[in-house]
Amino acid sequence: MDQLNINEIKKHFSAVMKRVQKGETIIVSNYNKPIAEIRPIQKSSKEPRPIGLCKGEFVVSDNFNDPLPEEILEEFEGKYST
């Protein structure tokens, strides 16, 4: 990981972007103080995630799909019943 000041990045922008495109992460600095990071975007997998990755980590109650009580629905809609 390389650290470059803003002026260096501006001066050599195309070259810096080519480095990032190849997978490198660049730390952006302002007067040698790190302020940001330029890094490649992670490519998303084309494969769907397998079902059941969190099996056993939480419990879904039997009434999960039941309608919400009226007072909760009113709060979502901005109607406060008192």
Side-chain angles (χ1 to χ4, degrees):
M1 206 176 320
D2 207 359
Q3 182 171 320
L4 299 173
N5 279 308
I6 294 171
N7 289 335
E8 293 175 275
I9 293 172
K10 285 166 51 174
K11 191 183 291 184
H12 306 288
F13 186 76
S14 294
V16 170
M17 290 298 104
K18 284 179 185 175
R19 290 170 57 184
V20 171
Q21 197 171 19
K22 289 179 183 177
E24 194 173 336
T25 298
I26 305 291
I27 302 295
V28 180
S29 299
N30 190 21
Y31 298 104
N32 294 319
K33 180 182 175 194
I35 59 168
E37 177 175 280
I38 303 173
R39 57 188 161 93
I41 295 175
Q42 299 295 320
K43 294 181 181 175
S44 61
S45 174
K46 303 256 183 200
E47 296 293 319
R49 291 179 55 175
I51 296 173
L53 289 176
C54 297
K55 187 175 183 176
E57 292 186 26
F58 61 92
V59 176
V60 177
S61 66
D62 292 334
N63 68 350
F64 179 79
N65 289 319
D66 290 354
L68 291 171
E70 192 63 35
E71 59 270 8
I72 293 177
L73 290 173
E74 287 176 356
E75 290 205 22
F76 274 113
E77 295 170 355
K79 304 172 191 170
Y80 301 103
S81 58
T82 53

